[in-house]
Amino acid sequence: MLMLELDISPTKQALPAAVKRKQKRVSEHKMEISQQTRWMLAVRDRRDKKAFSELFDFYAPRLKGFVNRSGVSSQQAEEIVQEVMLTIWRKAEMFDPHRAQVSAWIYQIARNRQIDMMRKENRPVPEELSIEQSDEPDVGQVVALEQETEKLRQALENLNEEQKTMIEKAYLGELTHQEISTQTGLPMGTVKSRIRLGLERLRHELKGLR
Amino acid sequence: MTVITHHIPDHILAAYAAGNLPHAFAIVVASHVSLCDECRVALEAHQTVGGAVMEGADSVAVSNALKDNLFAQLDEPFTPQPVFERKGVYPGPVVEALKGKEPRWKKLGMGVRQDILAANDQGSVRLLYIPPGQAVPDHGHNGLELTLVLQGSFSDQTGRFGTGDVEVATEDLDHTPIADEGEPCICLAATDAPLRFNAWVPRLLQPIFRI
Ligand SMILES: [Zn+2]
């Protein structure tokens, strides 16, 4: 059993200098939405093909690298990447930067598409929340979510190799739920703080809708 | 709606996010998340971790043809996948499993009814209809069982489960859920092993009745 409570608060953890510099850089540009999110919003709101091309160049090779790790052939991996990118284009209006990072949104689409294609069955998905999309994103909220994700990414980077491998396997869908509960060192502390923050955000958005 | 107090455990949500939960359980998770903000947010947190792992993966170059093919398709018309909305007490994923129709109840005796939505070698998922005060006879199970209450409530040795609650039972739990007084209890129950309704059907008949 390898349960792990990750503490990501910088005061308690000695971070390498490079990471510290990076954190500073992030906070200096506090109110700036990431490039990836801006591309995605341009695709969503203006059907901007140039932005979609940028999005493709950034995510397609990462997606292929990720899909490759689940042991599919190179040709299958390309098929999945193409399907995922097409789904991103077609379902762009579902993207909500207040609730999901571009990478999280793409991850979910990628897992759904891969399962649909490999198992030939549609994966059951939850009802979508019907939240009115405003054209102008709440920058503070979007950036807060991005910063939270950046902290999470750093926390993942700081894991030892064995833990990293387990997390990777878990989110590639290579571990059963039993294995996840007994073997992996999921960064529970981080996940839970995200859960709390996210919930507050969601409740705030749902206010007045119910 | 009553306050949901029994949720999907974290490791099951993570397996669902990663797409490695048997179909029967995935229907229960998707249904509960449709009803529960807390688990929706927890699921989104797992998707965020997954996204971070994906983004950190080593890049592998894609062929030029891929991008050309993709961009050639952008303006093509397409049929969106059908969206199944909530119908009465049934969340979207259940409506999808019912193919948009009403449940086709089969009598099990004592007023209890079931409709098997899906079954394969990885498990099965069914709707159960239990009249108030009626016990679902003691049914042990080999593996995991998830039971989501869609209407009414039931109680067993481990507590009370109201609408939206999900009971997680593992093999060491030999429990007897009893529907509470009030309206009939309707549940969505998934298991990764054939249920053993000890009191009702001789074990030998189980493969025939798929219970
Ligand atoms: Zn819940």
Side-chain angles (χ1 to χ4, degrees), chain A residues 178-194:
Chain A
Q178 294 100 327
E179 289 167 339
I180 292 174
S181 78
T182 54
Q183 288 177 28
T184 65
L186 287 174
M188 296 305 293
T190 312
V191 169
K192 278 181 183 145
S193 77
R194 268 273 302 130

Side-chain angles (χ1 to χ4, degrees), chain A residues 22-192:
Chain A
K22 202 160 187 186
Q23 274 189 336
K24 188 146 176 279
R25 199 164 51 84
V26 168
S27 63
E28 277 166 4
H29 294 85
K30 225 181 212 154
M31 296 309 276
E32 201 171 284
I33 296 178
S34 74
Q35 185 67 71
Q36 288 86 339
T37 303
R38 279 183 280 148
W39 286 330
M40 195 58 229
L41 288 173
V43 169
R44 185 191 78 177
D45 299 335
R46 300 196 303 277
R47 308 307 279 156
D48 184 332
K49 284 186 185 163
K50 194 167 171 299
F52 187 61
S53 173
E54 303 272 18
L55 207 63
F56 179 93
D57 292 342
F58 183 85
Y59 282 110
R62 287 173 165 81
L63 206 48
K64 187 174 175 187
F66 182 68
V67 172
N68 262 352
R69 304 200 70 142
S70 59
V72 302
S73 71
S74 176
Q75 202 203 325
Q76 276 177 318
E78 292 233 325
E79 269 173 46
I80 292 167
V81 170
Q82 187 171 322
E83 278 294 312
V84 170
M85 294 308 299
L86 192 58
T87 306
I88 291 165
W89 173 259
R90 289 179 172 172
K91 289 186 76 177
E93 86 266 11
M94 304 304 299
F95 174 70
D96 180 353
H98 307 102
R99 294 195 17 246
Q101 274 263 285
V102 179
S103 60
W105 194 65
I106 293 181
Y107 169 78
Q108 199 51 53
I109 290 174
R111 295 308 302 155
N112 287 348
R113 292 306 295 150
Q114 192 169 347
I115 291 158
D116 292 353
M117 287 170 79
M118 309 295 267
R119 295 196 200 149
K120 309 277 182 239
E121 64 184 12
N122 278 352
R123 193 163 88 110
V125 293
E127 293 167 12
E128 296 279 357
L129 285 181
S130 49
I131 291 176
E132 282 288 318
Q133 297 272 12
S134 61
D135 287 346
E136 279 304 306
D138 180 333
V139 176
Q141 228 181 72
V142 174
V143 171
L145 183 62
E146 289 182 339
Q147 285 175 342
E148 208 58 42
T149 311
E150 176 59 23
K151 278 194 222 161
L152 173 79
R153 209 185 51 72
Q154 282 173 15
L156 289 175
E157 254 169 38
N158 288 332
L159 295 174
N160 67 39
E161 280 310 309
E162 192 197 357
Q163 291 168 328
K164 244 189 238 176
T165 308
M166 290 314 274
I167 291 280
E168 214 170 67
K169 282 177 118 172
Y171 289 93
L172 269 168
E174 286 171 5
L175 300 182
T176 64
H177 61 89
Q178 294 100 327
E179 289 167 339
I180 292 174
S181 78
T182 54
Q183 288 177 28
T184 65
L186 287 174
M188 296 305 293
T190 312
V191 169
K192 278 181 183 145

